[in-house]
Amino acid sequence: MSAFALGLVLVSAVFHATWNLLAKRAAADVSFLFFAYIVGAIVFAPFAIAILVIARPQLGWPALVFVAVAVGLQTLYFATLTAGYRAGDLSLVYPIARASGPLLATIGAIAILGEHPTPLAIGGALAIVVGAFILTGDPRALRRDGAGRAVGFALATGVVIAVYTLWDKTAVSVVLIPPLLYDWATVVGQAIVVTPVALRHRDAVREAWARHRGAVIGVGILSRLAYILVLTALVVSPVSYVAPAREIGILIGAVLGARVLAEGHVMRRGIGAAAMVVGILALALG
């Protein structure tokens, strides 16, 4: 993995963990996400238009298909992730979602894209599984604490992450859709999809803007920046390197949840998150 791609991924991880913290603190729901999509669509529109005017990418109907599917996957991702945050702690949901995603994406890259992992990479995958077990703790405790539902949403989010990672890799490296343009078209589609729901809950929409305006703007901008950087890295690097490496945000998210939100279980969750990061680095280096 090149230093350029790794740098993009590391900066993306910081942005990603930060917007997840903002979303968790605001108890993000559909109304919140509606505004986040609108903010992202507006802020990045000038850049997308500039690409269309200056670069003039040759895009046909395959690009529209990829964007349409991406809209569905990204909308599902935000829905499962925020549902997990409403059900459980950031330092529980975020690491599980972000660790299971690259693990599954790597498996998909091997099976579908023909990538070949080394023994080091396989060891990294096992470390991720161990880290997830340590992080979630005793399954009986999960039932007592009511965290099972949150873990379920986190795992569902991981599956969606794996699918959209493989899909988006194909979009930017095979179909050759410019990363920023691809992400902007996707967020515009998300805003369109969520608008009918928002219109049926006007009071909730107004309340979300009034109470969480700063968080909405932060999530709207940072979530787009984070993924544009990842898409750019995917243009020049394999999924089995980018997907695991970007999950350094796991450790950042776990620390933010435990320290900033005072969610507790600092030692156990820190050890679990650290094991995941070691596994992810092994996947990247392997």
Side-chain angles (χ1 to χ4, degrees):
M1 188 175 188
S2 68
F4 171 70
L6 182 59
L8 292 176
V9 170
L10 293 178
V11 174
S12 170
V14 175
F15 290 159
H16 194 279
T18 302
W19 80 250
N20 274 263
L21 172 64
L22 294 174
K24 168 61 179 176
R25 295 177 78 172
D29 55 10
V30 174
S31 299
F32 183 99
L33 295 179
F34 167 71
F35 279 119
Y37 297 151
I38 294 296
V39 168
I42 292 174
V43 169
F44 291 95
F47 303 100
I49 293 172
I51 290 173
L52 288 172
V53 172
I54 298 173
R56 296 180 181 275
Q58 300 299 310
L59 304 174
W61 65 265
L64 295 178
V65 172
F66 271 86
V67 169
V69 173
V71 168
L73 291 173
Q74 289 289 342
T75 302
L76 182 59
Y77 162 73
F78 273 91
T80 56
L81 183 64
T82 54
Y85 288 157
R86 291 193 297 273
D89 293 347
L90 172 72
S91 51
L92 177 68
V93 174
Y94 186 81
I96 294 175
R98 301 310 306 178
S100 58
L103 178 60
L104 295 172
T106 299
I107 293 172
I110 295 168
I112 300 172
L113 303 182
E115 297 180 9
H116 303 287
T118 64
L120 178 60
I122 295 174
L126 293 175
I128 291 174
V129 174
V130 172
F133 179 78
I134 295 172
L135 186 74
T136 56
D138 187 341
R140 292 171 298 179
L142 289 178
R143 289 194 294 270
R144 287 197 300 270
D145 296 340
R149 181 178 174 83
V151 171
F153 280 121
L155 291 174
T157 302
V159 173
V160 178
I161 289 170
V163 174
Y164 79 57
T165 299
L166 296 172
W167 185 260
D168 294 347
K169 164 67 175 177
T170 306
V172 298
S173 64
V174 178
V175 183
L176 301 180
I177 308 174
L180 190 148
L181 181 61
Y182 179 65
D183 186 76
W184 178 77
T186 300
V187 78
V188 169
Q190 289 176 275
I192 293 172
V193 168
V194 174
T195 294
V197 179
L199 291 176
R200 290 197 299 268
H201 300 86
R202 290 182 177 86
D203 291 340
V205 169
R206 284 192 290 267
E207 182 180 357
W209 180 250
R211 294 182 57 190
H212 305 297
R213 186 175 307 173
V216 162
I217 294 173
V219 171
I221 294 175
L222 291 177
S223 63
R224 305 300 12 126
L225 277 176
Y227 203 57
I228 288 169
L229 293 177
V230 169
L231 289 172
T232 303
L234 283 171
V235 173
V236 297
S237 296
V239 170
S240 56
Y241 284 77
V242 174
R246 67 178 295 220
E247 306 317 326
I248 192 68
I250 288 172
L251 185 56
I252 300 171
V255 171
L256 288 175
R259 294 295 186 182
V260 178
L261 302 182
E263 293 175 345
H265 305 288
V266 177
M267 181 62 71
R268 174 172 60 79
R269 289 178 174 178
I271 293 172
M276 290 183 185
V277 171
V278 169
I280 286 163
L281 291 177
L283 279 175
L285 294 174

